[in-house]
């Protein structure tokens, strides 16, 4: 219909106007029909009236057949302009007269067979019979009247009706234009809202309510429906946005297909992956876009198989295939396709992942794992090696076989000389090394090349050494090597070498190769450093073991010293009377025989040696060497004395067992004297002779020899004096190399329970203290030679401490002697009383203090107090303190077996004026008494 697509406003206007027009037309049609019917009836009545009048007037003319009268009567019709023709018929049907006159019969209407009126051809034709009385019919009057006035009148009426209809329609249009808005405006608002929603999907649009009628209710319902639709649409949009965001953010291409395999939708990842825009891809068969031609049939059969069976996914597991990009290139993908059913429609969702990077990563991982395995194998191979040459050889051989490389070598770096020394070359690289004139040991200078950067700790990669101008690079290029990697070997942030690997092709190393060589260089550097550390550790371990032995020996010696400290006191106490009496006899008995005097002299010398030996026992555990009182020593004299002192051991004892030890004294005449402690040298020589005798259990030859050192044993730097040798040689069992290395260690002995292991240790201590040299030569079954080498000073002046001569005779003193040993007390009493002193003895410290206190309160106090140090209950320190508390001016002399230690360690007890060592010497004792008597009170 024409109005179907027109706006509702026009529709309402057209409907109103059409309705009004139809109503007016119906009204006008009724009016015209009524008017036409009424007018025709009126015309018929008017014409019937005229015909009756004319008929009445024509009776005479008809009766008399008077044409003129008839014509005259008909002429009266001029007053009726509508009558166009008229005629009178006689009874015979002939025209008596016509109107107008002279009218042809053809123009006259046909005579009516019966009276009446009828319309014919737009004319009203009437036949009026003319009768007179009862004489019958005289004739007929025929009239023909035109309808022009009627039609003209109808035209006037039509024009009036048209004007009225136009005015009515205009009025209706104006009214409908205003009034139809009450209906069209709400509907148009709804239409506009619906159009906005439909065209722009703007569900926030609302139609304005313009009334409370049905349109207002419809507007409210429409707006409420829009609110619900907006809420649902927003939820759908949010959900779709989330889904779209998830899909677009996914690393996997998501593709939705219909049952025909055509793309319905896909995400941005698919666009980036395949190069197709979403708008271009939608509606295109997936197989034609991204599936290689060889796989398309299988893809289509899979869809058809699913659609035919209707169950199970097309591809419910990830499978690696290849896909096509827009440019036609193939790349590996991982794909999974699953069906989705919604109502009766079937769609498919595909998840496609580009695994190009994964495959590349897997290839890199495989290559990296291969390099790690190679690195692990090389590390294990070099881990058990402790020498650099072996480590370098294993590394380069593995690189040649597995990396591989065409040339490899290791240089050691000398930072002072700025040189690299070839230290390792692979077997396969030896031929190239020969061409390069770079055998092991060749030095390569460092200039402005990769080597200079590498020794600074940087890995250097040169893709093409032929483009470099350094001598080393050109040398490599000359033998066909093009690409080079130089990795530094660092240990403790210091470059000690470089690892060089080269290939013939340019740019032959990639980044993983360089990284592998860098890691390998770290392992090689670590292994090399560990090898160095192993050597150092082995040396340190040996030193530590030696130090442990030394510490153990020191601890054992410390224990010995602590034990010897107590033993020394007892020994000194025991030999003190012997020393005092021996020295007194030699001094006061002039009538002794020469033999007796020699015996006493030997006894005195032996006592002094014993005292010195006891004093030296503490040197085994003292950290510092003692300060020796050196004097001139004649080695020939000392050797003769020792031979006599030890005669019982090397002569008498073997003879008791039936064996003979032949001692040969080979003493060089004119031997220069040396500076030393005679007693220590004598003890050392005694120990050597005892050891030599023990080494000859079945007898043999013992040689004691003195010689000036041969010129070959001297050096130009020895300008301090002549060197003198003292040798002891035996023909005994000898020593193994192991025994010879340990023979100087304290407590080391091969004599079992018979030996102490201190003999040679004491000899070694004496040698150290005299700055001498000790040489031991021995072989199993061929005897032993021990040689002591001393240096004789250029000046023979003695440095022996000389005691000043007594200025005057010691005046007589009252002396209190305090000791817990009665033999010591008795010997001191005898000696001191022999010098004229008055001696009072006290046994023990407590008794001595009481005796001194009692004498001090009496008339005869003591002038000097001599006391021992180690006494029970009250020792010498307490005695000295007690004496000084009673009489601060009384001097106290401490006579103890620990005197030498106290003096050496500067540990003189307080309140003690002088310390003497046991056994005392008369000269030292008298000197001390002389010094103290000068400030002692008179007894």
């Amino acid at each position: 219909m024409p109005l179907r697509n027109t706006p509702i406003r026009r529709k309402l206007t057209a409907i109103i106007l059409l309705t009004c027009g139809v109503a007016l037309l119906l009204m006008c049609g009724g009016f015209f029909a009524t008017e036409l019917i009424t007018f025709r009836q009126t015309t018929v009545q008017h014409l019937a009236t005229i015909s009756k009048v004319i008929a009445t007037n024509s009776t005479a003319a008809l009766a008399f057949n008077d044409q003129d009268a008839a014509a005259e009567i008909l002429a009266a019709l001029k007053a009726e302009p509508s009558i166009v023709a008229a005629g009178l018929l006689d009874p015979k049907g002939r025209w008596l007269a016509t109107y107008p006159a002279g009218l042809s019969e053809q123009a006259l209407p046909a005579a009516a067979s019966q009276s009446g009126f009828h319309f014919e051809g737009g004319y009203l034709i009437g036949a009026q019979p003319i009768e007179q009385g009862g004489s019958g019919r005289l004739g007929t009057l025929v009239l023909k009247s035109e309808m022009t006035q009627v039609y003209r009148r109808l035209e006037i009426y039509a024009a009036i009706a048209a004007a009225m209809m136009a005015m009515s329609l205009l009025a209706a249009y104006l009214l409908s234009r205003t009034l139809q808005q009450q209906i069209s405006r709400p509907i148009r608002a709804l239409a506009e809202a619906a159009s906005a929603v439909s065209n722009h999907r703007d569900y926030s649009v609302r139609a304005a309510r313009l009334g409370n009628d049905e349109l207002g209710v419809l507007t409210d319902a429409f707006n409420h429906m829009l609110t619900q639709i907006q809420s649902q649409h927003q939820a759908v949009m949010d959900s779709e946005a989330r889904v779209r965001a998830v899909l677009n953010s996914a690393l996997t291409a998501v593709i939705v297909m219909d049952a025909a395999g055509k793309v319905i939708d896909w995400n941005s990842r698919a666009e980036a992956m395949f190069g197709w825009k979403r708008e271009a891809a939608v509606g295109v068969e997936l197989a034609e876009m991204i599936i290689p031609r060889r796989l398309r049939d299988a893809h289509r059969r899979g869809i058809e198989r699913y659609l035919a069976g209707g169950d199970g996914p097309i591809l419910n597991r990830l499978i690696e295939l290849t896909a096509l990009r827009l440019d036609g290139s193939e790349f590996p993908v991982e794909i999974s396709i699953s069906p989705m059913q919604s109502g009766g429609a079937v769609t498919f969702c595909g998840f496609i992942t580009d695994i190009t990077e994964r495959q590349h990563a897997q290839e890199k991982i495989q290559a990296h794992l291969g390099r790690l395995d190679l690195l692990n194998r090389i590390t294990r191979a070099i881990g058990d090696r402790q020498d650099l040459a072996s480590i370098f050889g294993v590394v380069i051989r593995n690189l040649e076989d597995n990396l591989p490389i065409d040339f490899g070598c290791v240089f050691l770096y000398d930072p002072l000389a700025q040189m690299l020394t070839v230290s390792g070359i692979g077997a396969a690289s030896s031929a190239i090394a020969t061409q390069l004139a770079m055998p092991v040991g060749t030095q390569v200078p460092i200039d402005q090349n990769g080597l200079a950067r590498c020794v600074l700790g940087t890995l250097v990669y040169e893709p093409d050494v032929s483009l470099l101008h350094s001598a080393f690079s050109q040398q490599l290029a000359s033998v066909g090597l093009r690409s080079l990697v130089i990795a530094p070997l660092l240990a403790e942030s210091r470059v000690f070498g470089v690892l060089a690997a080269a290939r013939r092709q340019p740019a032959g190393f990639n980044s993983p190769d360089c990284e592998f060589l860098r890691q390998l260089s770290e392992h090689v550097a670590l292994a090399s450093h560990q090898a160095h550390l192993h050597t150092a550790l082995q040396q340190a371990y040996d030193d530590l073991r030696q130090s442990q032995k030394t510490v153990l020996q020191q601890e054992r010696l410390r224990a010995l010293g602590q034990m010897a400290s107590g033993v020394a006191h007892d020994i000194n106490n025991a030999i003190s009377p012997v020393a005092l009496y021996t020295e007194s006899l030699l001094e006061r008995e002039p009538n002794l025989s020469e033999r007796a005097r020699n015996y006493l002299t030997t006894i005195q010398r032996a006592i002094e040696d014993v005292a010195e030996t006891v004093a030296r026992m503490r040197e085994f555990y003292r950290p510092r060497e003692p300060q020796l009182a050196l004097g001139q020593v004649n080695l020939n004299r000392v050797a003769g004395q020792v031979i006599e002192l030890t005669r019982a051991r090397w002569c008498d004892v073997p003879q008791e067992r039936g064996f003979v030890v032949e001692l040969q004294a080979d003493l060089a005449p004119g031997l220069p004297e040396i500076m030393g402690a005679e007693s220590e040298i004598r003890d050392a020589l005694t120990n050597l002779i005892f050891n030599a005798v023990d080494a000859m259990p079945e007898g043999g030859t013992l040689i004691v020899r003195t010689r000036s050192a041969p010129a070959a044993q001297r050096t130009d730097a020895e300008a301090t004096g002549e060197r003198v040798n003292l040798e002891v040689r035996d023909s005994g069992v000898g020593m193994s190399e192991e025994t010879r290395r340990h023979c100087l260690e304290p407590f080391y002995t091969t004599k079992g329970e018979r030996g102490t292991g201190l003999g040679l240790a004491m000899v070694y201590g004496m040698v150290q203290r005299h700055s001498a040299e000790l040489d031991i030569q021995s072989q199993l079954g061929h005897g032993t030679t021990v040689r002591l080498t001393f240096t004789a000073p250029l000046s023979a002046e003695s440095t022996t401490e000389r005691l000043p001569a007594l200025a005057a005779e010691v005046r007589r003193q009252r002396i209190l002697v305090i000791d817990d040993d009665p033999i010591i007390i008795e010997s001191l009493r005898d000696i001191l009383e022999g010098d004229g002193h008055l001696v009072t003895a006290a046994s023990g410290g407590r008794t001595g203090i009481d005796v001194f206190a009692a004498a001090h309160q009496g008339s005869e106090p003591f002038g000097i107090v001599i006391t021992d140090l180690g006494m029970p209950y009250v020792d010498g320190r307490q005695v000295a303190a007690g004496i000084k508390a009673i009489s601060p001016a009384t001097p106290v002399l401490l006579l103890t077996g620990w005197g030498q230690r106290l003096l050496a360690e500067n540990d003189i007890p307080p309140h003690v004026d002088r310390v003497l060592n046991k056994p005392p010497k008369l000269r030292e004792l008298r000197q001390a008494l002389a010094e103290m008597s000068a400030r002692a009170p008179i007894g």
Side-chain angles (χ1 to χ4, degrees), residues 676-927:
E678 184 173 329
S679 60
E680 288 197 15
I681 298 173
R682 192 160 43 240
D683 286 345
L685 184 56
T686 299
N687 282 320
L688 293 178
I689 291 176
F690 285 171
N691 286 341
V693 173
D694 291 337
M696 299 182 292
E698 299 181 357
T701 302
L702 174 62
I703 301 175
V704 178
R705 176 181 296 158
T706 59
R707 288 285 188 275
S708 295
Q713 297 182 10
R714 304 178 187 176
T715 63
D716 295 337
E718 292 172 346
T720 57
E722 189 175 0
R723 292 168 64 84
V724 181
N725 291 341
L726 173 60
E727 293 183 3
V728 176
R729 176 179 299 177
D730 64 71
S731 59
V733 296
M735 292 184 290
S736 65
E737 183 63 23
E738 180 69 17
T739 302
R740 192 189 66 80
R741 284 200 304 268
H742 297 284
C743 65
L744 298 179
E745 298 176 3
F747 306 107
Y748 182 83
T749 179
T750 59
K751 302 176 183 178
E753 296 181 357
R754 296 184 299 106
T756 63
L758 296 176
L760 286 178
M762 295 180 68
V763 172
Y764 181 71
M766 182 277 298
V767 170
Q768 293 293 104
R769 287 190 290 273
H770 284 76
S771 299
E773 296 177 4
L774 173 63
D775 181 34
I776 301 176
Q777 298 177 1
S778 182
Q779 188 175 0
L780 284 175
H782 294 82
T784 301
T785 299
V786 180
R787 179 184 300 109
L788 307 179
T789 303
F790 300 91
T791 302
L794 295 176
S795 174
E797 212 174 299
S798 175
T799 59
T800 306
E801 182 182 357
R802 301 181 182 274
L803 295 175
L806 294 178
E809 186 177 350
V810 179
R811 62 187 176 90
R812 183 181 182 188
Q813 291 285 348
R814 286 180 56 82
I815 300 175
L816 175 62
V817 178
I818 304 172
D819 204 307
D820 60 338
D821 190 342
I823 299 178
I824 295 292
I825 292 176
E826 186 66 25
S827 60
L828 284 175
R829 185 198 300 272
D830 293 340
I831 297 301
L832 294 176
E833 286 179 348
D835 287 346
H837 299 289
L838 296 177
V839 179
T840 300
S843 179
R846 183 72 267 170
T847 303
I849 295 174
D850 294 342
V851 171
F852 181 83
H856 186 72
Q857 294 175 358
S859 58
E860 296 182 345
F862 294 103
I864 297 175
V865 176
I866 300 175
T867 180
D868 189 16
L869 179 61
M871 295 181 294
Y873 306 115
V874 179
D875 61 6
R877 292 183 177 85
Q878 294 171 320
V879 169
I883 297 300
K884 292 294 185 179
I886 297 172
S887 176
T890 302
V892 177
L893 174 63
L894 186 65
L895 186 62
T896 175
W898 296 309
Q900 189 173 359
R901 179 177 63 83
L902 294 176
L903 292 172
E905 297 177 357
N906 196 22
D907 188 23
I908 300 175
H911 312 299
V912 173
D913 297 283
R914 186 70 181 270
V915 177
L916 289 181
N917 192 52
K918 288 182 180 180
K921 295 181 180 180
L922 285 180
R923 184 178 182 84
E924 295 176 355
L925 180 59
R926 288 168 180 164
Q927 178 69 26

Side-chain angles (χ1 to χ4, degrees), residues 100-405:
L103 184 68
S104 64
E105 293 182 0
Q106 290 80 11
L108 291 173
S113 58
Q114 57 181 4
S115 61
F117 294 90
H118 68 277
F119 291 91
E120 179 182 345
Y123 293 95
L124 176 61
I125 298 175
Q128 178 68 37
I130 301 174
E131 294 178 353
Q132 184 177 9
S135 60
R137 184 171 184 178
L138 294 180
T140 303
L141 176 62
V142 179
L143 296 177
K144 182 179 179 181
S145 176
E146 62 180 357
M147 300 295 294
T148 303
Q149 293 182 354
V150 175
Y151 293 135
R152 188 177 296 124
R153 185 176 180 182
L154 288 178
E155 289 178 359
I156 294 172
Y157 284 164
I160 295 172
M164 291 300 296
M165 285 184 64
M167 293 177 63
S168 298
L169 289 177
L170 178 61
Y173 172 74
L174 294 176
L175 288 175
S176 66
R177 184 173 182 178
T178 303
L179 296 178
Q180 56 85 24
Q181 293 182 0
Q182 300 297 320
I183 298 174
S184 65
R185 190 163 56 184
I187 295 175
R188 189 169 61 250
L190 289 175
E192 291 175 352
S195 177
V197 171
S198 176
N199 295 334
H200 305 291
R201 296 186 178 274
D202 184 6
Y203 295 98
S204 63
V205 176
R206 295 294 182 270
R209 181 172 180 174
L210 301 178
N212 296 324
D213 54 358
E214 290 82 354
L215 290 176
V217 174
L218 177 62
T219 301
D220 291 341
F222 180 78
N223 290 336
H224 180 67
M225 179 182 67
L226 282 180
T227 301
Q228 291 182 339
I229 292 175
Q230 182 182 15
S231 176
Q232 294 175 358
H233 177 72
Q234 187 62 40
V236 171
M237 291 297 292
D238 292 343
S239 177
E240 183 178 356
R242 286 193 296 271
V243 172
R244 177 61 60 181
V246 170
L247 292 179
N248 289 336
S249 63
L251 299 178
T252 300
V254 182
I255 302 175
V256 181
M257 301 178 295
D258 59 14
K262 295 182 178 180
V263 175
I264 299 175
D265 192 9
W266 65 12
N267 63 350
S268 58
R269 181 63 180 177
E271 292 182 355
M273 184 181 297
F274 301 108
W276 291 80
K277 292 296 183 181
R278 177 176 175 273
E279 295 77 9
V282 173
V284 181
E285 186 181 2
L286 181 68
E288 296 294 333
M289 289 192 300
I290 69 171
I291 298 179
R293 187 177 302 276
R294 64 182 180 278
L295 302 176
R296 292 175 185 174
D297 292 339
H299 169 73
R300 294 181 178 123
R301 285 195 301 270
I303 294 178
E304 293 172 358
R305 188 166 50 250
Y306 174 80
L307 294 176
D311 57 347
I314 297 177
L315 190 62
N316 63 347
R317 60 185 177 87
L318 295 175
I319 186 170
E320 294 185 5
L321 299 172
T322 56
L324 291 176
R325 293 189 180 92
L326 181 60
D327 58 5
S329 60
E330 290 192 24
F331 63 100
V333 295
E334 194 174 61
I335 184 170
S336 174
I337 301 176
S338 298
M340 298 185 299
Q341 291 187 348
S342 178
V346 177
T347 56
F348 302 96
C349 184
F351 299 90
I352 303 175
T353 304
D354 186 353
I355 60 173
T356 303
E357 294 183 0
R358 184 198 302 175
Q359 287 190 350
H360 291 167
Q362 288 177 348
E363 293 173 358
K364 291 180 180 178
I365 289 174
Q366 292 297 326
H368 184 63
L369 288 177
R371 294 188 182 94
L372 286 180
D373 179 66
L374 175 59
L375 184 63
N376 187 33
R377 285 188 281 116
I378 295 176
T379 303
R380 287 200 306 269
I382 66 178
D384 299 331
R385 289 169 169 77
Q386 303 301 335
D387 60 297
L388 293 181
S390 176
I391 291 173
F392 295 158
V394 168
V395 171
I396 299 175
R397 184 171 63 253
N398 277 276
L399 288 178
E400 291 173 341
D401 295 340
N402 299 286
L403 192 55
I405 59 175

Side-chain angles (χ1 to χ4, degrees), residues 70-120:
E72 186 177 351
I73 292 172
L74 291 176
L77 292 176
K78 290 182 180 180
E80 292 293 334
S82 61
I83 298 174
V84 295
L88 287 173
L89 291 176
D90 58 14
K92 295 180 179 180
R94 294 189 302 271
W95 293 104
L96 180 63
T98 60
Y99 173 81
L103 184 68
S104 64
E105 293 182 0
Q106 290 80 11
L108 291 173
S113 58
Q114 57 181 4
S115 61
F117 294 90
H118 68 277
F119 291 91
E120 179 182 345

Side-chain angles (χ1 to χ4, degrees), residues 450-767:
L451 297 175
R453 287 180 289 154
C454 188
V455 296
L456 296 178
T458 303
L459 184 138
V460 177
Y461 172 47
E462 299 293 351
D464 193 347
V465 295
S466 64
L467 302 178
L468 304 178
H469 302 292
S470 64
F472 180 69
S473 301
Q474 292 299 319
Q475 188 177 7
L476 294 178
S478 65
V479 295
L481 298 175
R482 300 291 294 277
S483 54
L484 173 67
V485 176
I486 312 174
L489 304 179
L490 293 98
E492 297 179 348
S493 301
R494 182 181 64 85
V495 177
F496 68 89
V498 298
L499 170 64
R503 285 176 173 165
R504 296 187 182 277
Q505 66 271 28
F509 295 92
N510 53 29
S511 178
D513 292 336
C514 295
E515 178 64 20
F516 169 75
L517 290 173
R518 185 191 64 79
Q519 294 179 356
L520 178 62
S521 67
E522 294 177 357
H523 286 262
V524 173
L526 179 60
S528 302
H529 185 57
Q530 286 178 341
H532 175 72
L533 290 179
H534 178 268
T535 303
L537 182 61
Q538 184 64 42
Q539 181 64 37
Y541 174 74
D542 294 338
D543 294 343
L544 178 61
R545 186 169 58 180
Q546 185 64 35
S547 299
Q548 288 176 337
K549 290 181 180 180
T550 303
V551 171
L552 180 60
Q553 294 165 6
Q554 190 71 25
E555 290 300 322
R556 295 171 69 181
L557 291 175
R558 188 183 300 276
L560 175 63
Q562 293 173 352
M563 178 184 67
S565 179
V567 174
H569 179 267
D570 295 338
I571 293 176
N572 287 332
N573 283 343
I575 65 175
S576 291
V578 180
L580 288 173
Y581 286 133
T582 301
E583 191 172 0
S584 178
L585 287 174
L586 290 173
E587 181 182 318
R588 295 176 180 176
E589 298 294 335
N591 298 324
L592 290 174
S593 64
E594 186 64 26
R595 184 175 183 181
R597 186 170 293 278
N598 289 338
Y599 285 167
L600 288 174
T601 301
T602 301
I603 292 172
Q604 185 183 29
R605 190 179 301 117
I607 291 172
E608 292 176 354
D609 290 347
V610 170
E612 290 293 332
T613 300
V614 171
R616 288 196 305 273
M617 289 176 66
R618 65 186 176 88
E619 302 303 330
F620 284 108
Y621 64 91
R622 282 177 57 80
R624 296 186 299 115
E625 297 296 336
Q627 299 296 325
L628 297 178
L630 302 180
Q632 292 182 353
V633 178
N634 189 318
L635 291 182
N636 287 340
R637 183 179 73 249
V638 171
Q641 293 174 355
V642 172
I643 290 173
E644 291 299 322
L645 284 172
T646 58
R647 178 176 294 277
R649 185 67 179 273
W650 57 263
C651 181
D652 299 340
V653 173
Q655 287 181 0
E656 291 178 0
R657 301 198 305 268
F659 303 108
V660 176
V661 174
E662 181 183 355
L663 189 142
Q664 299 177 5
D666 185 7
L667 306 178
L671 196 68
E673 293 184 346
I674 66 170
M675 298 302 297
E678 184 173 329
S679 60
E680 288 197 15
I681 298 173
R682 192 160 43 240
D683 286 345
L685 184 56
T686 299
N687 282 320
L688 293 178
I689 291 176
F690 285 171
N691 286 341
V693 173
D694 291 337
M696 299 182 292
E698 299 181 357
T701 302
L702 174 62
I703 301 175
V704 178
R705 176 181 296 158
T706 59
R707 288 285 188 275
S708 295
Q713 297 182 10
R714 304 178 187 176
T715 63
D716 295 337
E718 292 172 346
T720 57
E722 189 175 0
R723 292 168 64 84
V724 181
N725 291 341
L726 173 60
E727 293 183 3
V728 176
R729 176 179 299 177
D730 64 71
S731 59
V733 296
M735 292 184 290
S736 65
E737 183 63 23
E738 180 69 17
T739 302
R740 192 189 66 80
R741 284 200 304 268
H742 297 284
C743 65
L744 298 179
E745 298 176 3
F747 306 107
Y748 182 83
T749 179
T750 59
K751 302 176 183 178
E753 296 181 357
R754 296 184 299 106
T756 63
L758 296 176
L760 286 178
M762 295 180 68
V763 172
Y764 181 71
M766 182 277 298
V767 170

